[in-house]
mmCIF file of all heavy atoms in Angstrom:
data_model
loop_
_atom_site.group_PDB
_atom_site.id
_atom_site.type_symbol
_atom_site.label_atom_id
_atom_site.label_comp_id
_atom_site.label_asym_id
_atom_site.label_seq_id
_atom_site.Cartn_x
_atom_site.Cartn_y
_atom_site.Cartn_z
ATOM 1 N N VAL V 215 12.396 7.334 -10.083
ATOM 2 C CA VAL V 215 13.155 8.247 -10.919
ATOM 3 C C VAL V 215 12.198 9.196 -11.593
ATOM 4 O O VAL V 215 11.181 8.781 -12.191
ATOM 5 C CB VAL V 215 13.965 7.486 -11.971
ATOM 6 C CG1 VAL V 215 14.718 8.458 -12.893
ATOM 7 C CG2 VAL V 215 14.953 6.553 -11.297
ATOM 8 N N GLY V 216 12.465 10.507 -11.561
ATOM 9 C CA GLY V 216 11.621 11.477 -12.184
ATOM 10 C C GLY V 216 11.665 11.369 -13.714
ATOM 11 O O GLY V 216 12.715 11.032 -14.287
ATOM 12 N N ILE V 217 10.562 11.567 -14.364
ATOM 13 C CA ILE V 217 10.505 11.533 -15.812
ATOM 14 C C ILE V 217 9.890 12.824 -16.294
ATOM 15 O O ILE V 217 9.077 13.463 -15.676
ATOM 16 C CB ILE V 217 9.668 10.337 -16.332
ATOM 17 C CG1 ILE V 217 8.248 10.390 -15.747
ATOM 18 C CG2 ILE V 217 10.337 9.039 -15.992
ATOM 19 C CD1 ILE V 217 7.381 9.272 -16.296
ATOM 20 N N GLY V 218 10.368 13.266 -17.469
ATOM 21 C CA GLY V 218 9.894 14.501 -18.037
ATOM 22 C C GLY V 218 10.502 15.720 -17.295
ATOM 23 O O GLY V 218 11.524 15.634 -16.602
ATOM 24 N N SER V 219 9.837 16.829 -17.418
ATOM 25 C CA SER V 219 10.305 18.045 -16.800
ATOM 26 C C SER V 219 10.031 17.982 -15.298
ATOM 27 O O SER V 219 9.150 17.337 -14.835
ATOM 28 C CB SER V 219 9.564 19.308 -17.363
ATOM 29 O OG SER V 219 8.180 19.123 -17.205
ATOM 30 N N SER V 220 10.896 18.710 -14.544
ATOM 31 C CA SER V 220 10.721 18.704 -13.112
ATOM 32 C C SER V 220 9.509 19.505 -12.741
ATOM 33 O O SER V 220 8.968 20.286 -13.544
ATOM 34 C CB SER V 220 12.006 19.333 -12.462
ATOM 35 O OG SER V 220 12.143 20.673 -12.910
ATOM 36 N N GLY V 221 9.077 19.383 -11.519
ATOM 37 C CA GLY V 221 7.888 20.092 -11.123
ATOM 38 C C GLY V 221 7.102 19.185 -10.126
ATOM 39 O O GLY V 221 7.700 18.480 -9.308
ATOM 40 N N GLY V 222 5.772 19.199 -10.275
ATOM 41 C CA GLY V 222 4.970 18.406 -9.377
ATOM 42 C C GLY V 222 5.116 18.820 -7.926
ATOM 43 O O GLY V 222 5.247 17.920 -7.069
ATOM 44 N N SER V 223 5.066 20.086 -7.687
ATOM 45 C CA SER V 223 5.247 20.550 -6.324
ATOM 46 C C SER V 223 3.968 20.962 -5.618
ATOM 47 O O SER V 223 3.989 21.401 -4.499
ATOM 48 C CB SER V 223 6.210 21.789 -6.325
ATOM 49 O OG SER V 223 7.480 21.444 -6.866
ATOM 50 N N VAL V 224 2.829 20.847 -6.331
ATOM 51 C CA VAL V 224 1.572 21.300 -5.767
ATOM 52 C C VAL V 224 0.521 20.162 -5.999
ATOM 53 O O VAL V 224 0.340 19.692 -7.102
ATOM 54 C CB VAL V 224 1.035 22.597 -6.417
ATOM 55 C CG1 VAL V 224 -0.294 22.978 -5.854
ATOM 56 C CG2 VAL V 224 2.051 23.733 -6.193
ATOM 57 N N LEU V 225 -0.157 19.842 -4.893
ATOM 58 C CA LEU V 225 -1.271 18.917 -4.933
ATOM 59 C C LEU V 225 -2.486 19.669 -4.406
ATOM 60 O O LEU V 225 -2.512 20.027 -3.203
ATOM 61 C CB LEU V 225 -1.008 17.640 -4.125
ATOM 62 C CG LEU V 225 -2.207 16.766 -3.879
ATOM 63 C CD1 LEU V 225 -2.780 16.221 -5.237
ATOM 64 C CD2 LEU V 225 -1.858 15.559 -2.917
ATOM 65 N N GLU V 226 -3.423 19.902 -5.257
ATOM 66 C CA GLU V 226 -4.605 20.703 -4.860
ATOM 67 C C GLU V 226 -5.842 19.845 -5.001
ATOM 68 O O GLU V 226 -6.062 19.141 -6.011
ATOM 69 C CB GLU V 226 -4.736 21.945 -5.693
ATOM 70 C CG GLU V 226 -5.797 22.941 -5.205
ATOM 71 C CD GLU V 226 -5.607 24.329 -5.749
ATOM 72 O OE1 GLU V 226 -4.681 24.531 -6.568
ATOM 73 O OE2 GLU V 226 -6.423 25.209 -5.358
ATOM 74 N N ILE V 227 -6.677 19.903 -3.967
ATOM 75 C CA ILE V 227 -7.935 19.135 -3.976
ATOM 76 C C ILE V 227 -9.126 20.093 -3.875
ATOM 77 O O ILE V 227 -9.153 20.915 -2.911
ATOM 78 C CB ILE V 227 -7.952 18.144 -2.784
ATOM 79 C CG1 ILE V 227 -6.790 17.180 -2.871
ATOM 80 C CG2 ILE V 227 -9.302 17.425 -2.688
ATOM 81 C CD1 ILE V 227 -6.620 16.285 -1.683
ATOM 82 N N ASP V 228 -10.059 19.989 -4.788
ATOM 83 C CA ASP V 228 -11.269 20.792 -4.775
ATOM 84 C C ASP V 228 -12.471 19.893 -4.463
ATOM 85 O O ASP V 228 -12.671 18.933 -5.209
ATOM 86 C CB ASP V 228 -11.481 21.517 -6.099
ATOM 87 C CG ASP V 228 -10.404 22.550 -6.373
ATOM 88 O OD1 ASP V 228 -10.023 23.298 -5.450
ATOM 89 O OD2 ASP V 228 -9.863 22.593 -7.506
ATOM 90 N N TYR V 229 -13.192 20.270 -3.430
ATOM 91 C CA TYR V 229 -14.412 19.517 -3.091
ATOM 92 C C TYR V 229 -15.539 19.965 -3.976
ATOM 93 O O TYR V 229 -15.803 21.189 -4.013
ATOM 94 C CB TYR V 229 -14.771 19.626 -1.626
ATOM 95 C CG TYR V 229 -13.729 19.020 -0.707
ATOM 96 C CD1 TYR V 229 -13.169 19.762 0.303
ATOM 97 C CD2 TYR V 229 -13.310 17.701 -0.861
ATOM 98 C CE1 TYR V 229 -12.224 19.230 1.199
ATOM 99 C CE2 TYR V 229 -12.399 17.144 -0.009
ATOM 100 C CZ TYR V 229 -11.840 17.911 1.058
ATOM 101 O OH TYR V 229 -10.892 17.345 1.888
ATOM 102 N N GLN V 230 -16.211 19.047 -4.640
ATOM 103 C CA GLN V 230 -17.322 19.405 -5.429
ATOM 104 C C GLN V 230 -18.479 19.999 -4.560
ATOM 105 O O GLN V 230 -19.232 20.900 -4.975
ATOM 106 C CB GLN V 230 -17.863 18.201 -6.226
ATOM 107 C CG GLN V 230 -16.818 17.630 -7.190
ATOM 108 C CD GLN V 230 -16.463 18.603 -8.297
ATOM 109 O OE1 GLN V 230 -17.271 19.348 -8.811
ATOM 110 N NE2 GLN V 230 -15.193 18.606 -8.662
ATOM 111 N N THR V 231 -18.590 19.409 -3.352
ATOM 112 C CA THR V 231 -19.576 19.912 -2.365
ATOM 113 C C THR V 231 -18.809 20.237 -1.106
ATOM 114 O O THR V 231 -17.994 19.415 -0.660
ATOM 115 C CB THR V 231 -20.634 18.818 -2.047
ATOM 116 O OG1 THR V 231 -21.281 18.482 -3.284
ATOM 117 C CG2 THR V 231 -21.654 19.388 -1.103
ATOM 118 N N SER V 232 -18.990 21.441 -0.566
ATOM 119 C CA SER V 232 -18.290 21.836 0.622
ATOM 120 C C SER V 232 -18.515 20.888 1.777
ATOM 121 O O SER V 232 -19.588 20.281 1.912
ATOM 122 C CB SER V 232 -18.653 23.293 1.016
ATOM 123 O OG SER V 232 -20.031 23.364 1.274
ATOM 124 N N VAL V 233 -17.564 20.752 2.675
ATOM 125 C CA VAL V 233 -17.610 19.788 3.775
ATOM 126 C C VAL V 233 -17.522 20.560 5.080
ATOM 127 O O VAL V 233 -16.616 21.378 5.303
ATOM 128 C CB VAL V 233 -16.446 18.809 3.671
ATOM 129 C CG1 VAL V 233 -16.498 17.803 4.839
ATOM 130 C CG2 VAL V 233 -16.436 18.066 2.330
ATOM 131 N N SER V 234 -18.420 20.237 6.016
ATOM 132 C CA SER V 234 -18.405 20.884 7.325
ATOM 133 C C SER V 234 -17.343 20.255 8.198
ATOM 134 O O SER V 234 -17.035 19.082 8.099
ATOM 135 C CB SER V 234 -19.783 20.717 8.009
ATOM 136 O OG SER V 234 -19.730 21.182 9.357
ATOM 137 N N VAL V 235 -16.704 21.113 8.999
ATOM 138 C CA VAL V 235 -15.673 20.592 9.936
ATOM 139 C C VAL V 235 -16.151 20.575 11.372
ATOM 140 O O VAL V 235 -15.396 20.344 12.294
ATOM 141 C CB VAL V 235 -14.408 21.491 9.857
ATOM 142 C CG1 VAL V 235 -13.767 21.446 8.532
ATOM 143 C CG2 VAL V 235 -14.721 22.954 10.224
ATOM 144 N N SER V 236 -17.458 20.764 11.591
ATOM 145 C CA SER V 236 -17.993 20.764 12.954
ATOM 146 C C SER V 236 -17.824 19.431 13.655
ATOM 147 O O SER V 236 -17.622 19.409 14.831
ATOM 148 C CB SER V 236 -19.483 21.121 12.914
ATOM 149 O OG SER V 236 -20.205 20.188 12.130
ATOM 150 N N GLU V 237 -17.758 18.343 12.883
ATOM 151 C CA GLU V 237 -17.587 17.043 13.413
ATOM 152 C C GLU V 237 -16.212 16.433 13.049
ATOM 153 O O GLU V 237 -15.969 15.232 13.170
ATOM 154 C CB GLU V 237 -18.681 16.110 13.003
ATOM 155 C CG GLU V 237 -20.092 16.483 13.473
ATOM 156 C CD GLU V 237 -21.151 15.554 13.050
ATOM 157 O OE1 GLU V 237 -20.811 14.584 12.322
ATOM 158 O OE2 GLU V 237 -22.322 15.755 13.394
ATOM 159 N N GLY V 238 -15.323 17.305 12.588
ATOM 160 C CA GLY V 238 -13.981 16.849 12.209
ATOM 161 C C GLY V 238 -13.881 16.526 10.746
ATOM 162 O O GLY V 238 -14.864 16.351 10.064
ATOM 163 N N LEU V 239 -12.681 16.552 10.253
ATOM 164 C CA LEU V 239 -12.430 16.278 8.816
ATOM 165 C C LEU V 239 -11.131 15.557 8.625
ATOM 166 O O LEU V 239 -10.096 15.869 9.241
ATOM 167 C CB LEU V 239 -12.362 17.594 8.080
ATOM 168 C CG LEU V 239 -11.918 17.593 6.596
ATOM 169 C CD1 LEU V 239 -12.989 16.810 5.779
ATOM 170 C CD2 LEU V 239 -11.730 18.959 6.056
ATOM 171 N N ASP V 240 -11.126 14.458 7.835
ATOM 172 C CA ASP V 240 -9.919 13.725 7.501
ATOM 173 C C ASP V 240 -9.580 13.920 6.069
ATOM 174 O O ASP V 240 -10.446 13.733 5.180
ATOM 175 C CB ASP V 240 -10.147 12.208 7.869
ATOM 176 C CG ASP V 240 -10.274 11.960 9.313
ATOM 177 O OD1 ASP V 240 -9.236 12.110 10.019
ATOM 178 O OD2 ASP V 240 -11.334 11.596 9.811
ATOM 179 N N ILE V 241 -8.284 14.139 5.817
ATOM 180 C CA ILE V 241 -7.722 14.271 4.457
ATOM 181 C C ILE V 241 -6.616 13.299 4.300
ATOM 182 O O ILE V 241 -5.609 13.371 5.121
ATOM 183 C CB ILE V 241 -7.296 15.696 4.193
ATOM 184 C CG1 ILE V 241 -8.443 16.716 4.388
ATOM 185 C CG2 ILE V 241 -6.681 15.814 2.799
ATOM 186 C CD1 ILE V 241 -8.016 18.143 4.387
ATOM 187 N N VAL V 242 -6.680 12.416 3.330
ATOM 188 C CA VAL V 242 -5.644 11.345 3.216
ATOM 189 C C VAL V 242 -5.097 11.398 1.779
ATOM 190 O O VAL V 242 -5.842 11.299 0.782
ATOM 191 C CB VAL V 242 -6.230 9.947 3.498
ATOM 192 C CG1 VAL V 242 -5.100 8.897 3.382
ATOM 193 C CG2 VAL V 242 -6.882 9.908 4.854
ATOM 194 N N VAL V 243 -3.762 11.559 1.658
ATOM 195 C CA VAL V 243 -3.151 11.639 0.349
ATOM 196 C C VAL V 243 -1.882 10.850 0.356
ATOM 197 O O VAL V 243 -1.276 10.527 1.385
ATOM 198 C CB VAL V 243 -2.845 13.082 -0.084
ATOM 199 C CG1 VAL V 243 -4.116 13.926 -0.146
ATOM 200 C CG2 VAL V 243 -1.848 13.734 0.905
ATOM 201 N N LEU V 244 -1.387 10.542 -0.863
ATOM 202 C CA LEU V 244 -0.086 9.915 -1.054
ATOM 203 C C LEU V 244 0.825 10.907 -1.733
ATOM 204 O O LEU V 244 0.403 11.641 -2.615
ATOM 205 C CB LEU V 244 -0.218 8.660 -1.970
ATOM 206 C CG LEU V 244 -0.996 7.481 -1.381
ATOM 207 C CD1 LEU V 244 -1.191 6.413 -2.448
ATOM 208 C CD2 LEU V 244 -0.318 6.913 -0.177
ATOM 209 N N ILE V 245 2.071 10.937 -1.302
ATOM 210 C CA ILE V 245 3.087 11.779 -1.959
ATOM 211 C C ILE V 245 4.379 10.971 -2.161
ATOM 212 O O ILE V 245 4.566 9.874 -1.583
ATOM 213 C CB ILE V 245 3.448 13.041 -1.155
ATOM 214 C CG1 ILE V 245 4.127 12.702 0.219
ATOM 215 C CG2 ILE V 245 2.171 13.855 -0.878
ATOM 216 C CD1 ILE V 245 4.700 13.911 0.950
ATOM 217 N N ASN V 246 5.207 11.473 -3.034
ATOM 218 C CA ASN V 246 6.511 10.858 -3.223
ATOM 219 C C ASN V 246 7.336 10.950 -1.910
ATOM 220 O O ASN V 246 7.171 11.956 -1.198
ATOM 221 C CB ASN V 246 7.306 11.537 -4.332
ATOM 222 C CG ASN V 246 6.691 11.287 -5.683
ATOM 223 O OD1 ASN V 246 6.264 10.227 -6.023
ATOM 224 N ND2 ASN V 246 6.618 12.350 -6.519
ATOM 225 N N PRO V 247 8.150 9.992 -1.616
ATOM 226 C CA PRO V 247 9.071 10.149 -0.455
ATOM 227 C C PRO V 247 10.006 11.338 -0.701
ATOM 228 O O PRO V 247 10.700 11.343 -1.728
ATOM 229 C CB PRO V 247 9.808 8.813 -0.315
ATOM 230 C CG PRO V 247 9.630 8.189 -1.720
ATOM 231 C CD PRO V 247 8.358 8.671 -2.257
ATOM 232 N N VAL V 248 10.001 12.291 0.230
ATOM 233 C CA VAL V 248 10.818 13.493 -0.015
ATOM 234 C C VAL V 248 11.405 13.926 1.359
ATOM 235 O O VAL V 248 10.906 13.603 2.399
ATOM 236 C CB VAL V 248 9.976 14.693 -0.543
ATOM 237 C CG1 VAL V 248 9.546 14.407 -1.970
ATOM 238 C CG2 VAL V 248 8.793 14.988 0.348
ATOM 239 N N SER V 249 12.575 14.631 1.248
ATOM 240 C CA SER V 249 13.139 15.299 2.405
ATOM 241 C C SER V 249 13.329 16.742 1.937
ATOM 242 O O SER V 249 14.271 17.122 1.288
ATOM 243 C CB SER V 249 14.487 14.641 2.748
ATOM 244 O OG SER V 249 15.032 15.316 3.866
ATOM 245 N N LEU V 250 12.355 17.587 2.352
ATOM 246 C CA LEU V 250 12.328 18.990 1.856
ATOM 247 C C LEU V 250 13.316 19.844 2.652
ATOM 248 O O LEU V 250 13.559 19.659 3.818
ATOM 249 C CB LEU V 250 10.890 19.541 2.038
ATOM 250 C CG LEU V 250 9.791 18.770 1.350
ATOM 251 C CD1 LEU V 250 8.420 19.364 1.723
ATOM 252 C CD2 LEU V 250 9.941 18.791 -0.193
ATOM 253 N N ASP V 251 13.868 20.845 1.941
ATOM 254 C CA ASP V 251 14.742 21.753 2.574
ATOM 255 C C ASP V 251 13.957 22.672 3.561
ATOM 256 O O ASP V 251 14.575 23.192 4.542
ATOM 257 C CB ASP V 251 15.431 22.626 1.529
ATOM 258 C CG ASP V 251 16.393 21.827 0.651
ATOM 259 O OD1 ASP V 251 16.894 20.831 1.146
ATOM 260 O OD2 ASP V 251 16.577 22.243 -0.485
ATOM 261 N N SER V 252 12.700 22.837 3.257
ATOM 262 C CA SER V 252 11.868 23.614 4.184
ATOM 263 C C SER V 252 10.599 22.776 4.531
ATOM 264 O O SER V 252 10.572 21.579 4.206
ATOM 265 C CB SER V 252 11.452 24.935 3.520
ATOM 266 O OG SER V 252 10.762 24.717 2.297
ATOM 267 N N SER V 253 9.641 23.386 5.140
ATOM 268 C CA SER V 253 8.470 22.699 5.559
ATOM 269 C C SER V 253 7.518 22.442 4.367
ATOM 270 O O SER V 253 7.626 22.987 3.284
ATOM 271 C CB SER V 253 7.684 23.528 6.567
ATOM 272 O OG SER V 253 8.516 23.813 7.695
ATOM 273 N N LEU V 254 6.599 21.453 4.586
ATOM 274 C CA LEU V 254 5.553 21.179 3.662
ATOM 275 C C LEU V 254 4.424 22.145 4.026
ATOM 276 O O LEU V 254 3.914 22.176 5.124
ATOM 277 C CB LEU V 254 5.107 19.736 3.763
ATOM 278 C CG LEU V 254 3.855 19.350 2.934
ATOM 279 C CD1 LEU V 254 4.240 19.331 1.418
ATOM 280 C CD2 LEU V 254 3.328 17.998 3.329
ATOM 281 N N LYS V 255 4.024 22.970 3.071
ATOM 282 C CA LYS V 255 2.989 23.928 3.283
ATOM 283 C C LYS V 255 1.549 23.326 3.049
ATOM 284 O O LYS V 255 1.363 22.702 1.981
ATOM 285 C CB LYS V 255 3.123 25.168 2.434
ATOM 286 C CG LYS V 255 2.115 26.262 2.660
ATOM 287 C CD LYS V 255 2.355 27.485 1.781
ATOM 288 C CE LYS V 255 1.338 28.561 2.035
ATOM 289 N NZ LYS V 255 1.506 29.735 1.145
ATOM 290 N N PHE V 256 0.660 23.469 3.993
ATOM 291 C CA PHE V 256 -0.680 22.996 3.885
ATOM 292 C C PHE V 256 -1.648 24.149 3.965
ATOM 293 O O PHE V 256 -1.572 24.957 4.935
ATOM 294 C CB PHE V 256 -1.044 21.951 4.939
ATOM 295 C CG PHE V 256 -2.428 21.489 4.911
ATOM 296 C CD1 PHE V 256 -2.883 20.694 3.863
ATOM 297 C CD2 PHE V 256 -3.308 21.824 5.931
ATOM 298 C CE1 PHE V 256 -4.178 20.229 3.869
ATOM 299 C CE2 PHE V 256 -4.605 21.410 5.910
ATOM 300 C CZ PHE V 256 -5.040 20.598 4.884
ATOM 301 N N SER V 257 -2.581 24.256 3.014
ATOM 302 C CA SER V 257 -3.553 25.329 2.980
ATOM 303 C C SER V 257 -4.930 24.721 2.982
ATOM 304 O O SER V 257 -5.237 23.775 2.225
ATOM 305 C CB SER V 257 -3.358 26.265 1.756
ATOM 306 O OG SER V 257 -2.080 26.824 1.778
ATOM 307 N N LEU V 258 -5.859 25.315 3.743
ATOM 308 C CA LEU V 258 -7.213 24.862 3.805
ATOM 309 C C LEU V 258 -8.122 25.997 3.345
ATOM 310 O O LEU V 258 -8.042 27.138 3.920
ATOM 311 C CB LEU V 258 -7.555 24.448 5.240
ATOM 312 C CG LEU V 258 -8.825 23.590 5.378
ATOM 313 C CD1 LEU V 258 -8.602 22.219 4.747
ATOM 314 C CD2 LEU V 258 -9.248 23.456 6.854
ATOM 315 N N PHE V 259 -8.924 25.793 2.344
ATOM 316 C CA PHE V 259 -9.830 26.786 1.854
ATOM 317 C C PHE V 259 -11.210 26.566 2.413
ATOM 318 O O PHE V 259 -11.759 25.428 2.403
ATOM 319 C CB PHE V 259 -9.880 26.715 0.306
ATOM 320 C CG PHE V 259 -8.519 26.872 -0.318
ATOM 321 C CD1 PHE V 259 -7.836 25.733 -0.769
ATOM 322 C CD2 PHE V 259 -7.921 28.112 -0.456
ATOM 323 C CE1 PHE V 259 -6.572 25.891 -1.366
ATOM 324 C CE2 PHE V 259 -6.662 28.225 -1.021
ATOM 325 C CZ PHE V 259 -6.002 27.174 -1.498
ATOM 326 N N TYR V 260 -11.854 27.582 2.899
ATOM 327 C CA TYR V 260 -13.144 27.385 3.572
ATOM 328 C C TYR V 260 -14.007 28.636 3.419
ATOM 329 O O TYR V 260 -13.531 29.707 3.067
ATOM 330 C CB TYR V 260 -12.922 27.023 5.074
ATOM 331 C CG TYR V 260 -12.296 28.130 5.917
ATOM 332 C CD1 TYR V 260 -13.075 29.005 6.659
ATOM 333 C CD2 TYR V 260 -10.919 28.310 5.950
ATOM 334 C CE1 TYR V 260 -12.470 30.004 7.436
ATOM 335 C CE2 TYR V 260 -10.292 29.226 6.723
ATOM 336 C CZ TYR V 260 -11.093 30.101 7.447
ATOM 337 O OH TYR V 260 -10.533 31.094 8.237
ATOM 338 N N GLU V 261 -15.288 28.418 3.738
ATOM 339 C CA GLU V 261 -16.229 29.509 3.711
ATOM 340 C C GLU V 261 -16.886 29.705 5.089
ATOM 341 O O GLU V 261 -17.185 28.725 5.780
ATOM 342 C CB GLU V 261 -17.359 29.227 2.717
ATOM 343 C CG GLU V 261 -16.877 29.172 1.224
ATOM 344 C CD GLU V 261 -17.996 28.803 0.288
ATOM 345 O OE1 GLU V 261 -19.047 28.384 0.770
ATOM 346 O OE2 GLU V 261 -17.793 28.953 -0.950
ATOM 347 N N LYS V 262 -17.095 30.983 5.437
ATOM 348 C CA LYS V 262 -17.703 31.282 6.760
ATOM 349 C C LYS V 262 -18.514 32.575 6.555
ATOM 350 O O LYS V 262 -17.951 33.586 6.052
ATOM 351 C CB LYS V 262 -16.641 31.501 7.830
ATOM 352 C CG LYS V 262 -17.222 31.861 9.175
ATOM 353 C CD LYS V 262 -16.106 32.036 10.176
ATOM 354 C CE LYS V 262 -16.675 32.451 11.533
ATOM 355 N NZ LYS V 262 -15.584 32.742 12.513
ATOM 356 N N ASP V 263 -19.754 32.501 6.909
ATOM 357 C CA ASP V 263 -20.685 33.671 6.752
ATOM 358 C C ASP V 263 -20.582 34.243 5.316
ATOM 359 O O ASP V 263 -20.510 35.467 5.077
ATOM 360 C CB ASP V 263 -20.236 34.797 7.703
ATOM 361 C CG ASP V 263 -20.376 34.349 9.196
ATOM 362 O OD1 ASP V 263 -21.260 33.532 9.458
ATOM 363 O OD2 ASP V 263 -19.601 34.808 10.024
ATOM 364 N N GLU V 264 -20.598 33.261 4.323
ATOM 365 C CA GLU V 264 -20.648 33.558 2.923
ATOM 366 C C GLU V 264 -19.378 34.279 2.449
ATOM 367 O O GLU V 264 -19.401 34.940 1.372
ATOM 368 C CB GLU V 264 -21.870 34.380 2.565
ATOM 369 C CG GLU V 264 -23.207 33.625 2.931
ATOM 370 C CD GLU V 264 -24.414 34.430 2.449
ATOM 371 O OE1 GLU V 264 -24.230 35.628 2.106
ATOM 372 O OE2 GLU V 264 -25.534 33.870 2.556
#
Side-chain angles (χ1 to χ4, degrees):
V215 178
I217 56 178
S219 59
S220 61
S223 299
V224 177
L225 170 60
E226 190 162 2
I227 298 171
D228 294 317
Y229 295 126
Q230 298 298 321
T231 303
S232 58
V233 180
S234 173
V235 295
S236 59
E237 296 181 358
L239 174 65
D240 290 293
I241 301 170
V242 183
V243 298
L244 295 172
I245 66 170
N246 293 317
V248 293
S249 181
L250 302 174
D251 294 333
S252 58
S253 301
L254 175 69
K255 183 179 179 181
F256 176 71
S257 302
L258 196 69
F259 304 100
Y260 64 97
E261 295 178 348
K262 179 182 177 183
D263 299 329
E264 299 183 353

